[in-house]
Protein backbone atom coordinates (compact mmCIF):
# COMPACT_ATOMS: atom_id res chain seq x y z
CA UNK A 1 0.00 0.00 0.00
CA UNK A 2 1.00 3.62 -0.40
CA UNK A 3 2.44 5.39 2.68
CA UNK A 4 0.07 6.74 5.32
CA UNK A 5 -0.80 10.33 4.59
CA UNK A 6 -3.44 12.77 5.81
CA UNK A 7 -4.98 15.43 3.54
CA UNK A 8 -7.33 18.18 4.61
CA UNK A 9 -8.29 21.60 3.30
CA UNK A 10 -10.25 24.72 4.19
CA UNK A 11 -12.04 27.21 2.00
CA UNK A 12 -10.74 30.79 2.25
CA UNK A 13 -13.99 32.71 2.52
CA UNK A 14 -13.32 34.89 5.55
CA UNK A 15 -11.40 35.14 8.82
CA UNK A 16 -11.28 31.97 10.92
CA UNK A 17 -13.04 31.86 14.26
CA UNK A 18 -12.94 29.75 17.39
CA UNK A 19 -15.46 27.31 15.88
CA UNK A 20 -12.84 26.46 13.21
CA UNK A 21 -10.18 26.13 15.89
CA UNK A 22 -12.11 23.68 18.07
CA UNK A 23 -13.77 21.89 15.13
CA UNK A 24 -10.70 21.31 12.92
CA UNK A 25 -7.46 23.17 13.62
CA UNK A 26 -6.81 21.69 17.05
CA UNK A 27 -7.14 18.30 15.45
CA UNK A 28 -4.69 19.23 12.66
CA UNK A 29 -2.16 20.31 15.27
CA UNK A 30 -2.46 16.92 16.95
CA UNK A 31 -2.33 14.96 13.70
CA UNK A 32 0.75 16.70 12.32
CA UNK A 33 2.96 15.03 14.92
CA UNK A 34 1.43 11.59 14.29
CA UNK A 35 1.34 11.28 10.49
CA UNK A 36 2.61 13.10 7.39
CA UNK A 37 -0.02 15.79 6.79
CA UNK A 38 -0.86 17.99 3.82
CA UNK A 39 -3.06 20.98 4.61
CA UNK A 40 -4.26 23.13 1.77
CA UNK A 41 -6.14 26.34 1.13
CA UNK A 42 -9.06 25.25 -1.04
CA UNK A 43 -9.28 28.41 -3.13
CA UNK A 44 -10.92 26.67 -6.10
CA UNK A 45 -13.57 25.34 -3.72
CA UNK A 46 -14.23 28.88 -2.53
CA UNK A 47 -14.98 29.78 -6.15
CA UNK A 48 -17.73 27.16 -6.36
CA UNK A 49 -19.87 29.37 -4.12
CA UNK A 50 -18.15 32.77 -4.49
CA UNK A 51 -17.54 32.77 -8.27
CA UNK A 52 -19.28 36.11 -8.66
CA UNK A 53 -17.17 37.85 -6.01
CA UNK A 54 -13.70 36.32 -5.85
CA UNK A 55 -12.18 39.47 -4.28
CA UNK A 56 -12.41 37.93 -0.81
CA UNK A 57 -10.40 34.85 -1.77
CA UNK A 58 -6.86 36.24 -2.04
CA UNK A 59 -6.93 38.24 1.18
CA UNK A 60 -8.65 35.41 3.03
CA UNK A 61 -6.03 32.96 1.79
CA UNK A 62 -3.13 34.80 3.43
CA UNK A 63 -5.14 35.62 6.56
CA UNK A 64 -6.16 32.01 6.88
CA UNK A 65 -2.60 30.76 6.53
CA UNK A 66 -1.57 33.10 9.34
CA UNK A 67 -4.51 31.77 11.38
CA UNK A 68 -3.29 28.21 10.84
CA UNK A 69 0.24 29.10 11.90
CA UNK A 70 -1.13 31.05 14.87
CA UNK A 71 -3.16 28.01 15.92
CA UNK A 72 0.01 25.91 16.02
CA UNK A 73 0.12 24.26 12.60
CA UNK A 74 3.83 23.75 12.18
CA UNK A 75 5.37 23.97 8.70
CA UNK A 76 8.33 21.89 9.85
CA UNK A 77 5.92 19.01 10.47
CA UNK A 78 3.11 19.53 7.96
CA UNK A 79 2.99 20.65 4.33
CA UNK A 80 0.99 23.85 3.80
CA UNK A 81 -0.01 24.80 0.28
CA UNK A 82 -2.56 26.50 -1.95
CA UNK A 83 -4.73 24.25 -4.10
CA UNK A 84 -4.57 26.36 -7.29
CA UNK A 85 -0.75 26.37 -7.12
CA UNK A 86 -0.85 22.64 -7.79
CA UNK A 87 -2.70 22.54 -11.11
CA UNK A 88 -2.54 18.75 -11.15
CA UNK A 89 -5.64 18.83 -8.90
CA UNK A 90 -7.58 20.34 -11.81
CA UNK A 91 -6.18 17.84 -14.28
CA UNK A 92 -7.18 14.89 -12.12
CA UNK A 93 -10.60 16.45 -11.52
CA UNK A 94 -11.12 16.70 -15.28
CA UNK A 95 -9.96 13.15 -15.95
CA UNK A 96 -12.10 11.72 -13.13
CA UNK A 97 -15.09 13.64 -14.47
CA UNK A 98 -14.97 11.59 -17.66
CA UNK A 99 -15.98 8.43 -15.84
CA UNK A 100 -17.96 9.64 -12.86
CA UNK A 101 -21.69 8.97 -13.20
CA UNK A 102 -23.75 12.13 -12.81
CA UNK A 103 -26.04 10.39 -10.33
CA UNK A 104 -23.17 9.96 -7.86
CA UNK A 105 -22.76 13.72 -7.65
CA UNK A 106 -26.46 14.50 -7.51
CA UNK A 107 -26.85 12.00 -4.66
CA UNK A 108 -24.29 13.66 -2.36
CA UNK A 109 -26.48 14.81 0.57
CA UNK A 110 -24.76 18.18 0.97
CA UNK A 111 -25.50 19.14 -2.67
CA UNK A 112 -29.20 19.88 -2.15
CA UNK A 113 -28.63 20.87 1.44
CA UNK A 114 -26.12 23.59 0.58
CA UNK A 115 -28.23 24.83 -2.32
CA UNK A 116 -31.09 25.35 0.12
CA UNK A 117 -28.89 26.90 2.81
CA UNK A 118 -27.24 29.30 0.39
CA UNK A 119 -30.48 30.19 -1.36
CA UNK A 120 -29.27 33.77 -1.95
CA UNK A 121 -26.64 32.44 -4.40
CA UNK A 122 -27.24 30.87 -7.77
CA UNK A 123 -25.61 27.49 -7.28
CA UNK A 124 -27.13 25.74 -10.28
CA UNK A 125 -23.65 25.58 -11.78
CA UNK A 126 -21.45 22.87 -13.21
CA UNK A 127 -18.69 23.81 -10.73
CA UNK A 128 -20.93 23.46 -7.70
CA UNK A 129 -22.28 20.09 -8.79
CA UNK A 130 -18.71 18.93 -9.35
CA UNK A 131 -17.22 20.15 -6.09
CA UNK A 132 -17.29 16.71 -4.38
CA UNK A 133 -15.39 15.40 -7.38
CA UNK A 134 -12.82 18.16 -6.98
CA UNK A 135 -12.60 17.14 -3.32
CA UNK A 136 -12.00 13.57 -4.45
CA UNK A 137 -9.21 14.75 -6.76
CA UNK A 138 -7.67 16.76 -3.88
CA UNK A 139 -7.40 13.60 -1.81
CA UNK A 140 -6.75 10.91 -4.42
CA UNK A 141 -3.93 12.87 -6.01
CA UNK A 142 -1.89 12.37 -2.81
CA UNK A 143 -3.04 8.79 -2.39
CA UNK A 144 -4.07 9.88 1.09
CA UNK A 145 -4.86 7.11 3.50
CA UNK A 146 -6.89 9.24 5.88
CA UNK A 147 -9.07 12.31 5.71
CA UNK A 148 -10.20 13.97 8.95
CA UNK A 149 -13.92 14.63 8.68
CA UNK A 150 -17.07 15.13 10.68
CA UNK A 151 -20.05 12.78 10.40
CA UNK A 152 -21.70 14.89 7.69
CA UNK A 153 -18.69 14.45 5.39
CA UNK A 154 -18.55 10.65 5.53
CA UNK A 155 -20.66 10.24 2.33
CA UNK A 156 -18.04 12.35 0.50
CA UNK A 157 -15.28 9.98 1.56
CA UNK A 158 -17.42 7.01 0.56
CA UNK A 159 -17.81 8.58 -2.87
CA UNK A 160 -14.05 9.15 -3.13
CA UNK A 161 -13.55 5.47 -2.43
CA UNK A 162 -16.04 4.53 -5.14
CA UNK A 163 -14.31 6.85 -7.59
CA UNK A 164 -10.90 5.34 -6.82
CA UNK A 165 -12.30 1.82 -7.15
CA UNK A 166 -13.97 2.65 -10.47
CA UNK A 167 -10.81 4.27 -11.79
CA UNK A 168 -8.68 1.26 -10.85
CA UNK A 169 -11.23 -1.04 -12.42
CA UNK A 170 -11.36 0.92 -15.67
CA UNK A 171 -7.72 1.82 -16.07
CA UNK A 172 -5.74 -0.48 -13.81
CA UNK A 173 -5.52 -3.14 -16.48
CA UNK A 174 -1.84 -2.96 -17.21
CA UNK A 175 -0.42 -4.57 -20.33
CA UNK A 176 1.11 -7.89 -19.27
CA UNK A 177 -0.21 -7.34 -15.72
CA UNK A 178 -0.54 -11.04 -14.94
CA UNK A 179 3.08 -11.77 -15.97
CA UNK A 180 4.43 -8.73 -14.11
CA UNK A 181 2.47 -9.72 -11.01
CA UNK A 182 3.81 -13.29 -11.19
CA UNK A 183 7.35 -11.89 -11.44
CA UNK A 184 6.66 -9.73 -8.38
CA UNK A 185 5.39 -12.79 -6.47
CA UNK A 186 8.75 -14.48 -7.04
CA UNK A 187 10.50 -11.49 -5.49
CA UNK A 188 8.77 -12.29 -2.19
CA UNK A 189 11.01 -15.35 -1.77
CA UNK A 190 9.81 -18.93 -2.07
CA UNK A 191 8.20 -19.30 1.37
CA UNK A 192 6.28 -16.06 1.27
CA UNK A 193 5.41 -16.50 -2.43
CA UNK A 194 3.81 -19.86 -1.60
CA UNK A 195 1.83 -18.31 1.27
CA UNK A 196 0.80 -15.36 -0.92
CA UNK A 197 -0.56 -17.70 -3.61
CA UNK A 198 -2.43 -19.81 -1.03
CA UNK A 199 -4.02 -16.75 0.59
CA UNK A 200 -4.92 -15.29 -2.80
CA UNK A 201 -6.64 -18.53 -3.80
CA UNK A 202 -8.50 -18.71 -0.48
CA UNK A 203 -9.79 -15.18 -0.97
CA UNK A 204 -10.61 -15.42 -4.65
CA UNK A 205 -12.19 -18.88 -4.58
CA UNK A 206 -13.78 -19.00 -1.15
CA UNK A 207 -14.12 -15.29 -0.35
CA UNK A 208 -12.21 -15.64 2.94
CA UNK A 209 -11.69 -12.03 4.06
CA UNK A 210 -9.15 -12.95 6.75
CA UNK A 211 -6.94 -14.47 4.04
CA UNK A 212 -7.02 -11.15 2.18
CA UNK A 213 -6.12 -9.25 5.36
CA UNK A 214 -3.28 -11.66 6.15
CA UNK A 215 -1.87 -11.32 2.64
CA UNK A 216 -2.07 -7.53 2.81
CA UNK A 217 -0.28 -7.51 6.15
CA UNK A 218 2.44 -9.73 4.67
CA UNK A 219 2.90 -7.31 1.76
CA UNK A 220 3.09 -4.39 4.17
CA UNK A 221 5.97 -6.15 5.92
CA UNK A 222 7.83 -7.19 2.77
CA UNK A 223 10.85 -4.86 2.66
CA UNK A 224 12.38 -5.86 -0.64
CA UNK A 225 9.52 -4.81 -2.95
CA UNK A 226 9.47 -1.70 -5.10
CA UNK A 227 6.39 0.51 -4.76
CA UNK A 228 5.09 -0.53 -8.16
CA UNK A 229 5.52 -4.27 -7.46
CA UNK A 230 3.80 -3.85 -4.12
CA UNK A 231 0.82 -2.16 -5.79
CA UNK A 232 0.68 -4.90 -8.43
CA UNK A 233 0.57 -7.52 -5.71
CA UNK A 234 -2.14 -5.68 -3.81
CA UNK A 235 -4.16 -5.47 -7.02
CA UNK A 236 -3.43 -9.09 -7.94
CA UNK A 237 -4.86 -10.27 -4.61
CA UNK A 238 -8.29 -8.97 -5.44
CA UNK A 239 -8.32 -9.37 -9.19
CA UNK A 240 -6.13 -8.51 -12.09
CA UNK A 241 -5.90 -4.76 -11.71
CA UNK A 242 -3.17 -2.45 -10.51
CA UNK A 243 -4.19 -0.05 -7.72
CA UNK A 244 -3.37 3.34 -9.23
CA UNK A 245 -5.49 5.38 -6.86
CA UNK A 246 -5.84 4.28 -3.28
CA UNK A 247 -9.05 4.40 -1.28
CA UNK A 248 -8.92 6.86 1.63
CA UNK A 249 -10.50 6.21 5.02
CA UNK A 250 -12.59 8.74 6.91
CA UNK A 251 -10.77 9.72 10.07
CA UNK A 252 -13.65 10.51 12.39
CA UNK A 253 -12.31 12.76 15.03
CA UNK A 254 -13.71 13.80 18.32
CA UNK A 255 -13.72 17.52 18.15
CA UNK A 256 -15.57 19.77 20.48
CA UNK A 257 -18.22 21.79 18.75
CA UNK A 258 -18.15 25.36 19.92
CA UNK A 259 -21.43 27.08 19.08
CA UNK A 260 -21.75 30.75 18.27
CA UNK A 261 -22.46 33.44 20.84
CA UNK A 262 -26.21 32.91 20.32
CA UNK A 263 -26.06 29.12 20.59
CA UNK A 264 -26.42 28.59 16.80
CA UNK A 265 -23.57 27.29 14.61
CA UNK A 266 -20.66 29.73 14.86
CA UNK A 267 -20.36 31.64 11.60
CA UNK A 268 -19.04 35.05 10.67
CA UNK A 269 -22.07 35.60 8.45
CA UNK A 270 -24.44 35.03 11.38
CA UNK A 271 -22.59 37.72 13.39
CA UNK A 272 -22.13 35.29 16.31
CA UNK A 273 -18.42 34.48 16.02
CA UNK A 274 -15.28 35.18 18.02
CA UNK A 275 -12.37 35.51 15.61
CA UNK A 276 -9.37 33.28 16.15
CA UNK A 277 -7.19 36.33 16.76
CA UNK A 278 -9.77 38.57 18.39
CA UNK A 279 -8.54 41.46 20.55
CA UNK A 280 -8.94 40.92 24.32
CA UNK A 281 -11.42 43.76 24.86
CA UNK A 282 -13.55 42.53 21.96
CA UNK A 283 -13.61 39.00 23.42
CA UNK A 284 -14.66 40.46 26.77
CA UNK A 285 -17.39 42.57 25.23
CA UNK A 286 -18.73 39.77 23.06
CA UNK A 287 -18.98 37.25 25.89
CA UNK A 288 -20.38 39.77 28.37
CA UNK A 289 -23.20 40.59 25.94
CA UNK A 290 -23.99 36.96 25.11
CA UNK A 291 -27.63 35.99 25.60
CA UNK A 292 -28.28 33.68 28.55
CA UNK A 293 -31.19 31.57 29.80
CA UNK A 294 -34.23 33.80 29.28
CA UNK A 295 -35.67 32.65 32.58
CA UNK A 296 -33.00 34.66 34.40
CA UNK A 297 -34.62 38.04 34.03
CA UNK A 298 -33.49 39.16 37.47
CA UNK A 299 -30.33 38.24 39.34
CA UNK A 300 -32.45 36.32 41.85
CA UNK A 301 -34.16 34.13 39.20
CA UNK A 302 -32.69 30.62 38.99
CA UNK A 303 -31.64 29.41 35.53
CA UNK A 304 -30.99 26.25 33.60
CA UNK A 305 -27.50 25.83 32.06
CA UNK A 306 -28.92 23.56 29.36
CA UNK A 307 -30.89 26.50 28.01
CA UNK A 308 -27.91 28.86 27.96
CA UNK A 309 -25.24 29.19 25.23
CA UNK A 310 -22.68 30.28 27.84
CA UNK A 311 -22.88 26.80 29.30
CA UNK A 312 -21.66 25.33 25.99
CA UNK A 313 -18.60 27.53 26.34
CA UNK A 314 -18.05 26.18 29.86
CA UNK A 315 -18.25 22.65 28.42
CA UNK A 316 -15.36 23.47 26.07
CA UNK A 317 -13.30 25.79 28.25
CA UNK A 318 -13.82 25.00 31.92
CA UNK A 319 -12.52 22.30 34.22
CA UNK A 320 -14.87 20.10 36.27
CA UNK A 321 -14.74 22.31 39.35
CA UNK A 322 -15.59 25.49 37.42
CA UNK A 323 -18.40 23.73 35.58
CA UNK A 324 -19.84 22.50 38.85
CA UNK A 325 -19.60 25.99 40.34
CA UNK A 326 -21.36 27.50 37.29
CA UNK A 327 -24.13 24.87 37.09
CA UNK A 328 -24.88 25.01 40.82
CA UNK A 329 -24.69 28.77 40.94
CA UNK A 330 -27.00 29.07 37.93
CA UNK A 331 -29.66 26.69 39.25
CA UNK A 332 -29.66 28.25 42.71
CA UNK A 333 -29.29 31.85 41.51
CA UNK A 334 -26.17 31.88 43.67
CA UNK A 335 -24.15 33.63 40.94
CA UNK A 336 -24.99 36.26 38.36
CA UNK A 337 -24.54 35.72 34.64
CA UNK A 338 -21.63 38.15 34.35
CA UNK A 339 -19.88 36.31 37.17
CA UNK A 340 -20.54 33.02 35.36
CA UNK A 341 -19.09 34.37 32.12
CA UNK A 342 -15.81 35.60 33.61
CA UNK A 343 -13.97 32.21 33.67
CA UNK A 344 -14.97 31.71 30.01
CA UNK A 345 -13.58 35.14 29.08
CA UNK A 346 -10.35 34.39 30.95
CA UNK A 347 -9.99 30.97 29.30
CA UNK A 348 -10.52 32.33 25.77
CA UNK A 349 -8.01 35.12 26.32
CA UNK A 350 -5.51 32.59 27.74
CA UNK A 351 -6.01 30.32 24.74
CA UNK A 352 -5.54 33.18 22.29
CA UNK A 353 -2.40 34.69 23.85
CA UNK A 354 0.08 32.27 22.20
CA UNK A 355 -1.88 32.59 18.95
CA UNK A 356 -1.39 36.36 18.92
CA UNK A 357 2.31 35.86 19.67
CA UNK A 358 2.82 33.30 16.90
CA UNK A 359 0.87 35.41 14.39
CA UNK A 360 2.85 38.57 15.10
CA UNK A 361 6.06 37.41 13.40
CA UNK A 362 4.12 36.62 10.21
CA UNK A 363 2.24 39.92 10.32
CA UNK A 364 5.57 41.74 10.77
CA UNK A 365 7.16 39.85 7.89
CA UNK A 366 4.60 38.45 5.39
CA UNK A 367 7.45 37.08 3.25
CA UNK A 368 7.82 34.29 5.84
CA UNK A 369 4.34 32.99 5.01
CA UNK A 370 5.04 33.29 1.27
CA UNK A 371 8.21 31.20 1.74
CA UNK A 372 6.43 28.52 3.79
CA UNK A 373 3.74 28.22 1.13
CA UNK A 374 6.24 28.17 -1.73
CA UNK A 375 8.05 25.23 -0.10
CA UNK A 376 4.75 23.48 0.61
CA UNK A 377 3.55 23.93 -2.97
CA UNK A 378 6.81 22.47 -4.31
CA UNK A 379 6.53 19.43 -2.08
CA UNK A 380 2.83 18.88 -2.81
CA UNK A 381 3.40 19.30 -6.53
CA UNK A 382 6.08 16.60 -6.60
CA UNK A 383 3.73 14.14 -4.89
CA UNK A 384 0.87 15.11 -7.21
CA UNK A 385 3.07 14.72 -10.29
CA UNK A 386 4.04 11.19 -9.24
CA UNK A 387 0.38 10.19 -9.15
CA UNK A 388 -0.45 11.99 -12.38
CA UNK A 389 2.36 10.17 -14.19
CA UNK A 390 0.67 6.86 -13.31
CA UNK A 391 -2.81 8.21 -14.06
CA UNK A 392 -1.82 9.52 -17.50
CA UNK A 393 -0.02 6.31 -18.33
CA UNK A 394 -3.01 4.21 -17.24
CA UNK A 395 -5.35 6.31 -19.37
CA UNK A 396 -3.12 6.17 -22.41
CA UNK A 397 -2.11 9.83 -22.19
CA UNK A 398 1.61 9.55 -21.50
CA UNK A 399 2.70 9.75 -25.16
CA UNK A 400 6.16 8.54 -24.31
S1 LIG B 1 -25.60 31.66 35.27
FE1 LIG B 1 -24.30 31.04 33.59
S2 LIG B 1 -25.25 29.20 32.74
FE2 LIG B 1 -26.79 30.24 34.04
S3 LIG B 1 -27.96 31.50 32.64
FE3 LIG B 1 -26.32 32.77 33.48
S4 LIG B 1 -24.64 32.61 32.06
FE4 LIG B 1 -26.06 30.95 31.61
Amino acid sequence: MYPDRVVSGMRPTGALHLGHYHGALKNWVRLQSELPCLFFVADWHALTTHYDDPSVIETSTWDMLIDWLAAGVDPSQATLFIQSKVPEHAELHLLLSMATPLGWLERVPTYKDQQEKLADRDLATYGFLGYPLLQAADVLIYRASQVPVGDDQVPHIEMMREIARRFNHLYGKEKGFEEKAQEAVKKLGSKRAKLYNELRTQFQQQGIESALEQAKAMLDDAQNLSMIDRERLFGFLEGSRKLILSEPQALLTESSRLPGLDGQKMSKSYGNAIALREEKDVVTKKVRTMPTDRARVRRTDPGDPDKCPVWQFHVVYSDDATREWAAKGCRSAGIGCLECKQPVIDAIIREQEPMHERAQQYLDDPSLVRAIVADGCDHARKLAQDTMRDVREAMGLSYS
Side-chain angles (χ1 to χ4, degrees), residues 290-296 301-312 314 325-327 329-331 333 335-341:
M290 269 177 87
T292 59
D293 179 4
R294 285 181 199 180
R296 294 208 73 183
D301 294 332
D304 179 354
D306 292 332
K307 293 184 182 153
C308 176
V310 178
W311 176 249
Q312 293 306 316
H314 272 298
W325 163 83
C330 177
R331 290 196 177 99
I335 57 169
C337 289
L338 284 179
E339 217 177 332
C340 177
K341 289 171 174 180

Side-chain angles (χ1 to χ4, degrees), residues 20 23 53 75-76 96 98 125 136 157 165 167 258 276 303 321 333 346 353 369 374 376:
H20 295 113
D53 180 21
S76 70
L96 293 176
M98 303 299 172
T125 58
I157 307 297
R165 223 172 289 146
F167 186 92
L258 187 69
L276 193 87
D346 295 342
E353 255 162 27
V369 188

Side-chain angles (χ1 to χ4, degrees), residues 6 51 67 105 108 117 157 163 216 219 267 284-285 366:
V6 172
Y51 59 87
D67 280 339
L105 296 170
V108 172
K117 270 195 193 138
I157 307 297
I163 290 168
K216 282 183 176 174
L219 290 177
S267 163
T284 306
K285 192 169 164 213

Side-chain angles (χ1 to χ4, degrees), residues 251-355:
L251 185 61
L252 281 170
T253 40
E254 278 211 17
S255 52
S256 23
R257 279 186 201 280
L258 187 69
L261 295 162
D262 55 0
Q264 307 301 308
K265 185 175 186 259
M266 190 180 280
S267 163
K268 196 179 158 215
S269 54
Y270 300 161
N272 65 359
I274 298 177
L276 193 87
R277 290 179 277 132
E278 198 82 86
E279 291 304 327
K280 282 183 194 175
D281 51 342
V282 181
V283 171
T284 306
K285 192 169 164 213
K286 283 187 172 179
V287 178
R288 284 175 74 93
T289 52
M290 269 177 87
T292 59
D293 179 4
R294 285 181 199 180
R296 294 208 73 183
V297 181
R298 286 175 297 270
R299 165 73 175 73
T300 47
D301 294 332
D304 179 354
D306 292 332
K307 293 184 182 153
C308 176
V310 178
W311 176 249
Q312 293 306 316
F313 279 62
H314 272 298
V315 169
V316 172
Y317 281 104
S318 300
D319 57 21
D320 290 348
T322 310
R323 275 202 293 266
E324 205 186 316
W325 163 83
K328 260 193 190 159
C330 177
R331 290 196 177 99
S332 63
I335 57 169
C337 289
L338 284 179
E339 217 177 332
C340 177
K341 289 171 174 180
Q342 195 55 47
V344 169
I345 296 171
D346 295 342
I348 296 175
I349 290 174
R350 232 180 0 257
E351 178 178 71
Q352 290 188 327
E353 255 162 27
M355 295 191 198

Side-chain angles (χ1 to χ4, degrees), residues 196-215:
Y196 175 90
N197 285 328
E198 283 169 7
L199 293 169
R200 178 171 177 263
T201 309
Q202 282 175 24
F203 174 69
Q204 290 196 355
Q205 294 185 3
Q206 298 160 51
I208 300 173
E209 287 287 338
S210 58
L212 178 66
E213 292 314 312
Q214 195 186 337

